[in-house]
Amino acid sequence: MGGQKGPAGVSVIIVGLIIVIMATAAMSCSEKVATNKKTSWPEVVGLSVEKAKEIILTDKPDADIVVLPVGSPVTKDYRSERVRIFIDTVAEIPHTG
């Protein structure tokens, strides 16, 4: 298997990469569960951004909170200190001036 060339060799390499990526993701999830730290805040849905920040910072004082419009492009890297809040509500009547 190690000395094979061609499509069979490429398949083995791709399968190996997929397994590594899945194992890394599983380790991250296990680590979150093992540390017993909160990783999501469904209770803040519908609250003001300031109230949501207050609640998140109470649970996670080191949080780097980023507020973005719903649908914004975001990076796929995982940072344990980053918490993204997505908003889509217009709070006041838009006007010129």
Side-chain angles (χ1 to χ4, degrees):
M1 194 185 301
Q4 290 181 342
K5 294 182 180 179
V10 172
S11 293
V12 171
I13 291 170
I14 291 172
V15 170
L17 287 174
I18 292 170
I19 291 169
V20 170
I21 292 168
M22 291 172 66
T24 302
M27 285 187 335
S28 296
C29 293
S30 299
E31 184 180 320
K32 286 184 250 176
V33 171
T35 59
N36 204 21
K37 292 183 180 178
K38 196 163 184 177
T39 59
S40 65
W41 291 264
E43 69 274 16
V44 305
V45 174
L47 300 180
S48 70
V49 171
E50 291 308 313
K51 185 64 178 170
K53 285 181 178 182
E54 181 183 320
I55 291 169
I56 293 166
L57 288 170
T58 299
D59 294 333
K60 187 173 182 59
D62 64 333
D64 174 20
I65 299 174
V66 181
V67 180
L68 301 163
V70 170
S72 294
V74 295
T75 59
K76 293 187 179 189
D77 62 319
Y78 178 80
R79 296 186 182 176
S80 60
E81 71 281 354
R82 180 177 55 213
V83 177
R84 292 179 174 132
I85 298 176
F86 293 95
I87 58 171
D88 71 349
T89 305
V90 177
E92 294 183 11
I93 299 171
H95 57 83
T96 60

